Amino acid sequence: MSKIFDDIKLQYKIGDITNKVIYWNVGMFLLSLVLFFKFKEYHFDYPSWLALSSNPNNFLIFPWTFLTYAFLHSGFWHLFFNMFMLNFSGRLFLTFFTQKQFLGLYILSSIFAGLAFVIAYYIMGINTVIVGASAAVLSILVATTYYQPLMYIYIPLIGKIKLWHITAVILILDIMRILVENTGGHISHIAGAFFGIIYIKLLQSGTDLSRIVTIVIDFFVNLFQPKKSTPFKKVHVNTKKSNTTTKSKIVVKDKTQQQIDEILDKISQSGYDSLTTEEKEFLFKAGK
């Protein structure tokens, strides 16, 4: 059993962002089975602070549900097909783009699709909840298709087929089922697909929306990361008064030195014979 967990840890550690997001979704599903699954009714009962509700009284109080709903699923097959498509779409996306762009698109498309869901259902006056990664998955698929529509994909028993053909079929089925079942879910799917196109168009023009997610993530990481404390330096202060007095660097000539300088100047100008008897005598005494 421990070997299985070690293998899972290793796969998570060495895997790319697609692998990690799949692990996050599976992990949330297993945790939800323990906390929110009603075995008697055989369905999940997600709280309003996790699932995205179309009721403003809920999503205004719990705004993070615009993201958390994208990591929850209503059942095993719901999770399975979403993760299958996420793995397929993610591998294609990472052929052309970075892992940060993948995560940014997943998060931003989930939020955008969630907004489309609550707006549509608020207009229709319907109060319900939504869960699932479908909108984000479709956004990644459509983004890749918009960027490289003629890319060939090999499908067993069918052969080579262009990527845009696969995406077109999925979108058409979503549009056809909007008024039949799970209207809110299909609205969010179409919104996610639309956001995938917007994302690529902005990226091609030089605007990378995934930087917003990177900045926010870095902010919260730095916020909760313990700051490195600077080592305390103890400063010893000498409280004893110094007995030594500082001497001024300014030198003041005394009268004797001043007179000597004047006599020497006179000698340099007129010679020794120009000195008076008093000056010669003073200079003689100073020389001793």
Side-chain angles (χ1 to χ4, degrees), residues 139-284:
S139 179
I140 293 169
L141 176 63
V142 171
T144 310
T145 304
Y146 185 80
Y147 183 75
Q148 203 68 240
L150 302 180
M151 182 180 183
Y152 278 99
I153 305 297
Y154 178 79
I155 299 178
L157 304 179
I158 297 178
K160 287 184 178 181
I161 186 171
K162 290 179 180 178
L163 180 59
W164 79 267
H165 291 157
I166 300 173
T167 307
V169 170
I170 294 173
L171 288 174
I172 290 171
L173 289 175
D174 254 316
I175 294 171
M176 290 175 60
R177 295 165 63 190
I178 283 181
L179 298 177
V180 178
E181 61 174 355
N182 190 21
T183 301
H186 294 299
I187 290 174
S188 69
H189 297 174
I190 302 304
F194 180 66
F195 186 84
I197 297 174
I198 295 175
Y199 180 85
I200 296 300
K201 287 181 71 68
L202 288 174
L203 192 61
Q204 289 174 330
S205 65
T207 303
D208 188 355
L209 293 178
S210 63
R211 291 179 181 174
I212 300 172
V213 176
T214 303
I215 292 171
V216 173
I217 292 174
D218 289 342
F219 171 78
F220 281 103
V221 168
N222 295 330
L223 185 66
F224 294 104
Q225 193 174 22
K227 296 181 180 179
K228 294 181 179 179
S229 57
T230 55
F232 176 74
K233 293 182 179 180
K234 188 175 182 180
V235 179
H236 297 278
V237 180
N238 188 3
T239 56
K240 295 181 180 180
K241 292 184 178 180
S242 177
N243 295 327
T244 59
T245 57
T246 55
K247 295 180 180 180
S248 175
K249 292 183 179 180
I250 301 175
V251 178
V252 180
K253 293 180 179 180
D254 56 11
K255 290 182 179 182
T256 304
Q257 185 63 43
Q258 190 174 359
Q259 288 178 3
I260 293 172
D261 290 342
E262 289 175 357
I263 293 172
L264 293 174
D265 289 338
K266 189 177 181 179
I267 292 173
S268 63
Q269 293 176 6
S270 306
Y272 182 79
D273 293 336
S274 64
L275 297 178
T276 63
T277 306
E278 291 82 7
E279 288 174 345
K280 290 179 181 178
E281 190 174 358
F282 176 80
L283 189 60
F284 178 76

Side-chain angles (χ1 to χ4, degrees), residues 117-135:
F117 163 75
V118 298
I119 290 172
Y121 267 39
Y122 180 76
I123 293 172
M124 291 187 290
I126 301 173
N127 288 331
T128 187
V129 296
I130 186 174
V131 294
S134 306

Side-chain angles (χ1 to χ4, degrees), residues 92-107:
L92 295 177
F93 184 89
L94 292 177
T95 305
F96 309 103
F97 306 103
T98 66
Q99 298 195 54
K100 287 185 178 180
Q101 289 170 333
F102 175 93
L103 183 61
L105 180 56
Y106 186 95
I107 291 174

